[in-house]
Amino acid sequence: MAEELQQIATEAVARADWIARPLIGLRLGIGFLVALLAAIILLALIHLKVSKMWESFAEFVQAVEAGVNDIVFVAIAIFFLVTLEGRIKRQRALKAIHELRALAHIIDMHQLTKDPHVITNPGPPTKSSPRRTMTDFELSRYLDYCSEMLSLIGKVAALYVQRFDDPVALSAVDEIEDLTTGLSRKIWQKIMIINQAKA
């Protein structure tokens, strides 16, 4: 697990740099599309024959309604294009954060058989009991390492939003930090039980 976390942390630096960097090609393409859209609208307005709109009130209302609809659709299209870069970066950040969340759950899953009560109050194992070969020192050290890995997961997740101010990604990082803090708290409870048993 530690090697996998190290690999993910190494990749996180490159991913965070990519997320923080502006996507120049995409921005140029979006700028071109918005300029093209504006040029089309300008040409349509230049060739618009306003005198025919005033022939009857019903035709005027119909033309105004069509114009308002066109303005709304153009605004939606421009909004879609302008926010595209942020959505691409958000998707990449959330995918990486999800990878960290999965790793945190794997670390937690490995704690299922690391029950300090087996060391402090040993009883006869059942047929389905896992083999427990760790001493209290080894178990305490193992749990400490797991707690440190969970802490690192929270710090690596924070890298993704260090220079990317996105509320959805920030919320996902907060959730990761809450998750890893809660899991680490459970681990430290186990370590305290081991330390109390030694005293």
Side-chain angles (χ1 to χ4, degrees), residues 16-198:
D17 284 342
W18 185 91
I19 290 169
R21 200 175 27 233
L23 303 178
I24 302 298
L26 182 64
R27 287 184 181 186
L28 290 174
I30 290 171
F32 173 75
L33 288 174
V34 170
L36 181 66
L37 196 56
I40 291 170
I41 292 169
L42 187 61
L43 283 171
L45 288 175
I46 289 171
H47 296 320
L48 183 67
K49 296 184 180 174
V50 180
S51 61
K52 288 189 175 182
M53 285 178 32
W54 294 95
E55 290 179 6
S56 77
F57 183 72
E59 289 176 0
F60 172 73
V61 170
Q62 187 178 9
V64 168
E65 182 183 357
V68 169
N69 285 339
D70 289 344
I71 290 170
V72 168
F73 287 128
V74 167
I76 290 171
I78 290 172
F79 177 78
F80 175 81
L81 290 172
V82 169
T83 59
L84 184 61
E85 180 180 5
R87 285 183 281 121
I88 289 170
K89 290 179 176 186
R90 178 188 304 145
Q91 181 182 11
R92 188 152 183 186
L94 290 178
K95 182 178 177 187
I97 291 168
H98 176 71
E99 188 177 40
L100 291 169
R101 182 182 296 111
L103 187 59
H105 283 295
I106 289 170
I107 291 170
D108 181 51
M109 186 177 64
H110 282 273
Q111 307 311 310
L112 293 175
T113 60
K114 310 301 187 277
D115 186 4
H117 290 293
V118 173
I119 291 175
T120 58
N121 300 320
T126 63
K127 290 172 88 178
S128 59
S129 294
R131 254 183 67 224
R132 293 182 172 97
T133 58
M134 288 187 180
T135 65
D136 56 350
F137 173 77
E138 292 170 333
L139 182 58
S140 179
R141 181 64 59 94
Y142 172 82
L143 292 171
D144 188 36
Y145 290 151
C146 289
S147 177
E148 289 173 3
M149 284 192 294
L150 288 168
S151 177
L152 287 172
I153 287 172
K155 302 308 178 227
V156 170
L159 281 176
Y160 291 112
V161 293
Q162 186 175 1
R163 295 179 294 164
F164 178 54
D165 190 23
D166 179 71
V168 176
L170 283 168
S171 175
V173 169
D174 286 344
E175 289 173 12
I176 287 288
E177 289 179 341
D178 289 344
L179 172 70
T180 56
T181 301
L183 295 176
S184 187
R185 192 175 297 124
K186 285 180 9 184
I187 290 172
W188 276 101
Q189 288 173 347
K190 291 179 180 183
I191 293 172
M192 298 282 281
I193 292 170
I194 293 170
N195 289 340
Q196 288 173 354
K198 282 197 269 187

